Structure formats: structure tokens, C-alpha cells
Amino acid sequence: MDAAVATEALKLRRSPVARTAWLAVVLGAPALSAGFIAVARAGGDGQLAVKVAAMLPDMGWIGYLGMIGQISTVAMLLAGGIVTAWCFGREFADGTVVGLFAIAVSRRRLAAAKFAVMLGWSLSACGATVLLGVAVGLLLGLGPLGSDALGGVAMDLVAAMLMALLALPLAWVASARRGYLPAVGALLLVVIVTQLVTVVGAGAWFPYAAPGLWVGMGGAESAAAVGPVQLLLAIPVCAAGIWATTAWWARAQLT
Amino acid sequence: MSASPSTVQVIEARGLTRSFGDDRAVDRADLAVAAGQIHALVGLNGAGKTTLMKLLLDMLRPSSGSGWLLGDPVDGAGAAVWSRVGHLIETPFGYPELTVTENVVLAARLQGLDRPSARRESLLIVGELALDRWADRRSRVLSLGNRQRLGLACALVHEPQVLILDEPTNGLDPKGVLELRRLLLSRAHGAGVGILVSSHHLDEVARIADRITVMHRGRVVGVLDPDGVDLERRFFDMVYAAEQEGSWTQPSQPRP
């Protein structure tokens, strides 16, 4: 394995932040979704039951997977954003960035390696969430997975990965501001702006809102307004963030 | 203690200048370190020693002037140069979540060693710097002195031809200071490594340096003979004279 990727992979494997965030996403989305299904099944006139019934289009795979998709899109942005902020920002906060200068591996390559391991982390989190979600769904007795349900599984995976990609540009904030806290602040700002844009009805064209709306966060009508073009806006946003970050690291100074 | 270093310059500063706003942290600094030479850089806090070292390691870009390592310009230097350079500047290298051995192996791999060589060299340098006892412990549990030893291990593991060390005895106990002295002397006089080291400890500097350059307010203000008497007195005389002069003149030709 490339020395830079091996280095970054080891650091991420040992990171309590990365481990905790991974578990929060992978366990949280299926657990919460299963909880909602259980509440809906119990029925009744309680506040929670009424709210859950309104959120779930049905109590089968479609409703359950839709809930997983909605929760995991939010979770992947938050978790992926925090881990990305840590991955890049900790070098400044911990003072370890000095050791990344004047070495045989270029800083551009190191930054690229950080993105490579973050993509691996994100893919494993999204994949594990969906797999565990399916396992929990089978345990809930939702029945065999039909073609509609498999389509729901694929949507959840794609939506979560798109949010993971959208978290990566936070690396530029963590690098340029030399710490993980500014990037966490930027993440909160993104979440707030996404909510505002969605409320005013422009969510389909806002890259950070589109995946969540697509999996049902705003209802069926909002979901229908999101197509491949809107979803794929995540790609150039991610690419711009990666380019800006690697360019920053290539020219960085220890001022 | 003085050896006969080669005349090949492995570290050179040619008129290096770096300003931060109105503050000229390094001002037209000229310095040269030959292969096999231990060149000490001394000065008061804020004299510009660390900034000069950062300029030589491309951690900062100069406002003017140039730095040279192993005959190549620092600006645009690639793996071929950096793989032969070791450094310890400010925070010693070491990730708290990794063990001592993992940190040293990581440093070796980032300097171009393959995995088996990195593993082999790491075991050797961990032993040489008396870190065996903590080899498999996470570096977060290390004392300040042992974190400094870890940083030194990471700077030395790939057997560089050039070493740039900023206050390497920070946090070291007397035994550690002796071990570092032995190590630097053997690397320089035995293996021909060119070493630039900054220190506040003039008595230690006198024991190991072949040449001592004095910096004050960002400028090179003189050269001291490490073999002369009362080094501390001569250092303060030089700094005081430089302060009194106000306009900073270049030192006289260094002794051969």
C-alpha cells in the first residue's frame, strides 16, 4: 500500500472520533427506523404514534427503508463532516503538521491520501448501515425483499454516499483555518442553510438538500422534484472541495 | 572534539529574509554547514533561529534570498532531497494514538523506506534512543522527555545526510543529553552528516559544535570559537554589541 495512504489509514483506524461516528451512523439509522416502525405498529392515539404514522407512508419495507434513508442522509453529513474535520484539522490542533513538511511524500499527496481514506470510511459506513438496516428489517418481519424494496436499498446507499461526498469540502475549512472546530462550525452553518433553503422551496437544487428530499424527507411531492441532475450536483461540489484542499496543502506554510 | 569536516556545504542560507508584517524575523541571513560538521545556532529568544530553520526546511517561504540543501535549492525540492533530510522543529513528531514503534515506522515510510526497512531501522533507533521500554505503548503516555526522544528517533530513522534540530535537548534528562551528544557526534564525525542545531545551552553547544553562529534580531551577528574560554561571556558581549550598534553589520569572514 502507498505509504501516505497506509499512514492515514492507520491514524483513522486508531481514531476514537472516527470509530464513534461510524458506530453512531451504522447503528443509529437502523435502530431509530426500527423504533419508528414499532411505534407505528403499536398504534394508539399518543402524540408520538400520530407523528410517526404521518412520517411513514407504510409499515413495510418502503416506509422502513425510507426512514433509514432520511436518517442516514443527515447522519452521514454530520458524521462524515466531523470525521473529515478531525482528519485534516487535528494536524494543526495537535501540532503534528510540522512532521508533514520536509519529507519525501509531498503534502499534496498526503492530503489526497486523507481524502482516499475518508472515502473508504464513508463507503464502509454507508454499506454497513444499509446491510444492518436490511438485517433488522428481516428481523422485524417485514417479509422478503421485493424489487421495490431493493430499489429502496439502492436509493438509501446512493443518498448516503452523496451526503458523504458533500462532507468532504469541509476539509478545506479545517485546513485553511488550521483546526477542526472551524470546520465543525461550517458544518453547522451548512445544516442551517440547508434547512432554510428547503423551507423556502428551493431544496431540490441545493446540493446539500437534494439527497434527503429524494429519499422522502419533504414528502412525495418534494421527492418527485429531485432528479439525477440535482443529485449529481454533489459531484462538482465534492471535486471543488478536494481540489481546493489539496492545492492549499501543496502551498501551505507554517506561519 | 573538532573533526575535519569536508568542504562540501550541505546546508546553505544565502541572504535569507522573512518578514511577518513589519517584523523582520530573519534579515539577510548567510550560513553554511559542511558535511560532517556540527554547526550550532545560538541567540536569545526571538532571535530568529527557529524561523531560519523553517526557511531552510521549506516550512516558510522567504521574502528574499534562498536556502540550499545538499546542493539543491529548497524551493521546489522533491523527494530526492527531503528523503536525505531529518528535522525536529517545535513539536516533536509523534501521533498520540500510535505506539512509539508505529510512529517511528510511519516516519520512516514517509521518508521513502519500504515496510521491511522501516521496521528494521525503527527497531534499531528505538533501541539507540532508549525507548525500548515504551516501544508498544501509545505515545500519549510518554513524558515530555521521552516524546522528545521519539521526535529524535523519527528524525534519524532514515539515516539522513542532513539534520536540522531546534532545541533537541528540550525536556531531556542529563542521561538523555549525553546520549544525544554521543549520537550527534557519531553521526557527524563518523557518518559525515551535516548538522545544524539550535540551543540555549552554551555549555552543551561548546561540547559538540565545530562552529557557532550567533543570531540577534533576525541577523547573523557573529561567529564564536567553541574552543575559546568563557563562551557565555563572549556570547553576551557579541549580543550586547549588536544591540548597541543598532545598524546590523555582517560578521567578519568565518574562520576556516
Side-chain angles (χ1 to χ4, degrees):
Chain A
M1 191 190 288
D2 170 81
V5 173
T7 294
E8 294 303 320
L10 177 61
K11 285 150 60 178
L12 199 68
R13 275 203 310 278
R14 289 293 176 79
S15 161
V17 172
R19 196 160 45 243
T20 305
W22 194 92
L23 287 171
V25 173
V26 172
L27 299 179
L32 282 170
S33 302
F36 284 138
I37 292 286
V39 168
R41 279 176 176 175
D45 297 326
Q47 262 193 1
L48 183 59
V50 169
K51 283 182 183 171
V52 166
M55 282 161 51
L56 286 170
D58 64 54
M59 285 191 283
W61 280 110
I62 300 302
Y64 171 69
L65 289 170
M67 191 57 59
I68 285 187
Q70 291 173 48
I71 295 171
S72 61
T73 49
V74 176
M76 273 311 300
L77 178 64
L78 291 174
I82 288 170
V83 178
T84 299
W86 176 87
C87 181
F88 285 82
R90 65 85 53 107
E91 306 286 3
F92 303 93
D94 292 349
T96 48
V97 67
V98 182
L100 303 182
F101 280 75
I103 57 175
V105 177
S106 72
R107 290 187 300 284
R108 184 188 292 273
R109 191 164 181 162
L110 281 169
K114 286 178 183 293
F115 280 119
V117 300
M118 277 308 307
L119 280 169
W121 180 92
S122 301
L123 200 57
S124 77
C126 294
T129 301
V130 166
L131 280 174
L132 184 62
V134 168
V136 168
L138 291 169
L139 285 173
L140 282 172
L142 296 180
L145 279 163
S147 57
D148 282 353
L150 286 172
V153 169
M155 278 180 72
D156 286 353
L157 194 58
V158 168
M161 264 316 292
L162 287 174
M163 295 309 287
L165 291 178
L166 287 164
L168 295 180
L170 289 166
W172 179 81
V173 179
S175 304
R177 301 298 296 168
R178 298 169 195 260
Y180 39 74
L181 286 179
V184 172
L187 173 61
L188 293 175
L189 185 63
V190 164
V191 169
I192 292 167
V193 169
T194 302
Q195 286 298 306
L196 288 172
V197 169
T198 305
V199 160
V200 302
W205 284 99
F206 190 62
Y208 286 88
L213 291 174
W214 185 53
V215 291
M217 204 174 281
E221 201 176 311
S222 297
V226 178
V229 172
Q230 290 98 331
L231 289 170
L232 288 174
L233 284 175
I235 309 290
V237 170
C238 173
I242 291 175
W243 176 84
T245 307
T246 52
W248 186 91
W249 275 78
R251 296 286 300 160
Q253 296 186 78
L254 290 180
T255 51
Chain B
M1 178 252 313
S2 292
S4 302
S6 98
T7 54
V8 175
Q9 309 298 340
V10 292
I11 303 173
E12 287 183 82
R14 299 178 191 171
L16 275 174
T17 300
R18 170 68 197 218
S19 298
F20 296 96
D22 292 334
D23 176 30
R24 190 162 275 200
V26 173
D27 190 1
R28 290 168 288 165
D30 290 315
L31 179 144
V33 181
Q37 182 183 67
I38 299 178
H39 192 130
L41 196 56
V42 299
L44 302 178
N45 288 344
K49 304 184 296 296
T50 301
T51 305
L52 177 58
M53 289 179 159
K54 285 183 174 179
L55 288 167
L56 288 167
L57 290 167
D58 202 28
M59 295 176 177
L60 289 170
R61 282 188 289 281
S63 311
S64 61
S66 58
W68 297 73
L69 293 174
L70 298 160
D72 284 317
V74 164
D75 183 24
V81 171
W82 297 123
S83 61
R84 295 182 289 161
V85 174
H87 67 82
L88 195 165
I89 304 288
E90 291 181 338
T91 312
F93 188 92
Y95 288 93
E97 69 270 23
L98 304 185
T99 65
V100 165
T101 302
E102 284 172 340
N103 269 301
V104 183
V105 169
L106 187 154
R109 294 217 63 207
L110 289 177
Q111 286 292 26
L113 271 63
D114 59 40
R115 198 182 291 275
S117 304
R119 182 80 192 161
R120 183 182 62 244
E121 296 300 321
S122 301
L123 288 173
L124 289 171
I125 197 67
V126 163
E128 199 172 345
L129 281 160
L131 286 168
D132 312 71
R133 199 172 133 199
W134 297 276
D136 296 323
R137 303 286 299 276
R138 303 281 166 105
S139 66
R140 70 163 65 90
V141 307
L142 296 180
S143 64
L144 182 66
N146 282 332
R147 279 204 290 274
Q148 189 74 0
R149 287 175 193 253
L150 173 58
L152 287 164
C154 294
L156 291 160
V157 65
H158 56 298
E159 299 193 357
Q161 292 172 257
V162 164
L163 276 172
I164 298 180
L165 306 173
D166 189 21
E167 309 281 351
T169 57
N170 261 355
L172 292 183
D173 57 26
K175 180 164 172 284
V177 172
L178 282 177
E179 285 164 353
L180 179 63
R181 185 192 306 163
R182 175 190 53 78
L183 197 144
L184 293 182
L185 286 169
S186 78
R187 289 298 195 277
H189 302 156
V193 176
I195 301 175
L196 179 65
V197 57
S198 73
S199 180
H200 290 308
H201 302 292
L202 294 173
D203 53 341
E204 183 59 27
V205 161
R207 284 185 166 92
I208 64 168
D210 299 303
R211 171 174 289 177
I212 303 170
T213 290
V214 181
M215 283 190 78
H216 185 65
R217 290 183 181 262
R219 287 203 190 175
V220 171
V221 296
V223 173
L224 292 172
D225 174 5
D227 296 328
V229 294
D230 204 349
L231 186 64
E232 190 175 277
R233 169 85 179 265
R234 287 184 287 126
F235 165 74
F236 279 111
D237 285 346
M238 188 171 283
V239 166
Y240 183 72
E243 184 68 26
Q244 290 300 302
E245 277 175 27
S247 58
W248 316 103
T249 56
Q250 285 295 309
S252 55
Q253 286 299 312
R255 66 183 175 91

